[in-house]
Amino acid sequence: MRVELAQTLADTEQGQRAEEILRKCVHCGFCNATCPTYNLLGDELDGPRGRIYLIKGMFESDEVDEHARFHLDRCLTCRNCETTCPSGVEYGELLELGRNYIHESSPAPTFLERLLLWVVPHHRRLAFMVRLGRLFRWFVPTPLKRMIQPVRSARTEDEDKDALVTLLQGCAQRAMTPEVNQHIAGLLRARNIPVRLRATEQCCGGLHMHLGRHDQALHRMSANVEALYDDATRTYLSSASGCGVTVKDYGRLLGTPEAKVLAQHTQDIAEYLQQFTFERHPNIQRVALHVPCTLQHGQKIPGLIEKILERTGYVLVSVRDAHLCCGSAGSYSLLQPELSEQLLDRKLAALEEQTPDVIATANVGCHLHLRSGTNTRVVHWVTLLH
């Protein structure tokens, strides 16, 4: 793709990187075939190719296009398009650049965006707000109601300070589904693996990055590296794939030696648990597995959870269109509720088609989103291991 950057952007790191990515695009349109919003809406501008043209237009004119803001906001950042792009276009990174350019040039945050950024990165605030919301459930806007579910207390003090394995707790997971991390810690200790939970752990910065707050995201990431990094830790484990895909990208985003080491030593929990054997839950056999986009398209490790569950004795029922997003996508389900609900309905219809005993997933956002729309039990997949 031919690109002629605006002179004001030609010498900037942001502009040069955008141009490098844009030039890889050959207009083929293979990306649209796997884009959930394009498949749902049939609008070229709601597919990756159209959004690439919108970003290109902004960087060439050095002007914020409100039309571009509208369509970029409707992107799930699922990165499914990257898996079918023959030219290797780093669409997810380009989208980051586009959203950040819009926010820096013409910030127009909504009240809900401000609220999310104030609450979600702080697990104690999030847990408190969820409890408060449950008291006034009838007055809470519909998009927020899926978050208002029972919250269990969690122990987050430093444990096993000499442990070589640190378990990343995440903001939303620590507040909303802390039993997942507690279960993982139990699994590891039962196999003589000391594990550390760090009370100083900070937000990974993913939410700020997705909302175009690049500088704020880097600040969060730097604080998290400072809180987590030490010379003794050999492995950092993430069981929330949305956090994991962000932490694994710290090397590119921050570039410091500590950030690179932390990123290189971070594994999704499935990558680490594949070395062990487990027992199946006696009352569960048929599982419909939803592999989050951040795991199969972001971290690019599809098939691993399936192998572990099947080896444990579970029957994985077939799920059509397993590559498509469930509509959670971090804050997307709250900021784009109508599209999110349509994607949720499609995903649940596929997951429930074979009448599974449970639906399993690997990310807290997907977990809460799926659970809000079905009577079938939804669990994090690691809780099926014993």
Side-chain angles (χ1 to χ4, degrees):
M1 177 182 292
R2 183 177 178 180
V3 182
E4 296 181 0
L5 289 180
Q7 193 60 42
T8 49
L9 295 172
D11 295 327
T12 66
E13 183 179 349
Q14 181 185 35
Q16 290 172 358
R17 181 55 181 152
E19 181 179 15
E20 183 181 358
I21 298 173
L22 285 166
R23 286 187 180 278
K24 292 183 179 180
C25 180
V26 296
H27 321 271
C28 67
F30 287 175
C31 53
N32 283 345
T34 54
C35 175
T37 51
Y38 178 80
N39 289 334
L40 192 67
L41 300 169
D43 187 335
E44 176 73 14
L45 296 180
D46 282 314
R49 183 170 60 180
R51 292 181 178 121
I52 287 172
Y53 272 102
L54 292 172
I55 294 171
K56 176 178 179 287
M58 289 193 300
F59 278 90
E60 289 185 329
S61 65
D62 194 16
E63 293 181 0
V64 171
D65 186 334
E66 291 304 315
H67 200 49
R69 186 198 298 267
F70 175 77
H71 289 286
L72 294 188
D73 282 348
R74 302 216 296 189
C75 177
L76 292 146
T77 325
C78 70
R79 296 172 61 181
N80 197 2
C81 55
E82 292 184 9
T83 66
T84 54
C85 176
S87 303
V89 175
E90 296 95 339
Y91 173 81
E93 186 180 349
L94 182 64
L95 185 67
E96 288 175 8
L97 293 169
R99 284 175 169 168
N100 183 62
Y101 172 78
I102 289 173
H103 179 70
E104 285 187 340
S105 303
S106 179
T110 64
F111 170 75
L112 187 51
E113 286 178 335
R114 292 178 184 273
L115 179 63
L116 288 172
L117 291 171
W118 185 76
V119 174
V120 176
H122 306 274
H123 68 95
R124 290 188 179 89
R125 284 184 197 171
L126 179 56
F128 172 77
M129 293 297 285
V130 169
R131 291 188 178 96
L132 184 65
R134 294 190 72 223
L135 295 176
F136 301 97
R137 183 179 181 88
W138 296 111
F139 302 98
V140 173
T142 299
L144 291 174
K145 285 186 178 179
R146 64 172 45 88
M147 299 182 67
I148 304 174
Q149 305 196 35
V151 178
R152 306 179 187 180
S153 60
R155 184 174 57 184
T156 58
E157 311 86 26
D158 282 4
E159 302 176 1
D160 296 325
K161 293 188 177 182
D162 295 328
L164 301 181
V165 174
T166 292
L167 179 59
L168 305 181
Q169 301 171 83
C171 301
Q173 184 147 293
R174 192 173 353 179
M176 307 294 289
T177 58
E179 69 277 3
V180 173
N181 287 327
Q182 292 171 344
H183 186 84
I184 292 171
L187 286 177
L188 295 177
R189 293 192 183 109
R191 288 153 181 82
N192 298 314
I193 308 289
V195 62
R196 187 176 185 184
L197 306 175
R198 304 211 186 179
T200 57
E201 181 183 336
Q202 304 292 306
C203 171
C204 72
L207 179 61
H208 289 80
M209 183 64 70
H210 293 160
L211 291 179
R213 277 69 169 178
H214 184 77
D215 290 342
Q216 294 176 48
L218 296 185
H219 176 74
R220 293 276 180 184
M221 293 172 185
S222 296
N224 200 31
V225 171
E226 184 177 348
L228 292 173
Y229 177 82
D230 65 54
D231 293 330
T233 302
R234 294 291 177 266
T235 305
Y236 298 88
L237 298 179
S238 173
S239 58
S241 60
C243 297
V245 74
T246 301
V247 175
K248 285 184 175 186
D249 213 15
Y250 276 8
R252 173 183 71 87
L253 292 164
L254 295 174
T256 64
E258 295 81 7
K260 290 179 180 178
V261 170
L262 178 57
Q264 291 167 359
H265 288 189
T266 296
Q267 297 182 36
D268 182 78
I269 189 63
E271 295 177 277
Y272 191 78
L273 292 183
Q274 63 180 323
Q275 64 185 296
F276 304 110
T277 58
F278 303 94
E279 294 182 3
R280 179 175 65 84
H281 192 291
N283 298 323
I284 299 173
Q285 185 169 21
R286 293 167 53 80
V287 178
L289 180 64
H290 167 65
V291 183
C293 303
T294 44
L295 198 61
Q296 60 175 319
H297 310 312
Q299 299 187 47
K300 295 180 173 60
I301 47 175
L304 197 51
I305 296 174
E306 292 91 326
K307 291 178 182 177
I308 296 172
L309 290 177
E310 288 178 337
R311 190 175 64 203
T312 304
Y314 290 102
V315 175
L316 298 185
V317 302
S318 61
V319 178
R320 57 183 166 82
D321 297 330
H323 60 288
L324 293 180
C325 183
C326 69
S328 170
S331 59
Y332 191 92
S333 63
L334 303 176
L335 299 175
Q336 301 287 336
E338 293 184 8
L339 293 178
S340 178
E341 288 294 329
Q342 292 180 62
L343 293 168
L344 174 63
D345 291 343
R346 288 188 175 193
K347 178 57 65 174
L348 284 173
L351 288 167
E352 295 182 315
E353 206 165 40
Q354 304 296 325
T355 60
D357 298 326
V358 296
I359 294 170
T361 188
N363 189 51
V364 59
C366 303
H367 187 164
L368 298 174
H369 190 56
L370 294 170
R371 191 167 68 178
S372 70
T374 180
N375 291 322
T376 303
R377 184 183 170 195
V378 181
V379 300
H380 191 293
W381 75 274
V382 294
T383 62
L384 298 173
L385 305 179
H386 297 276

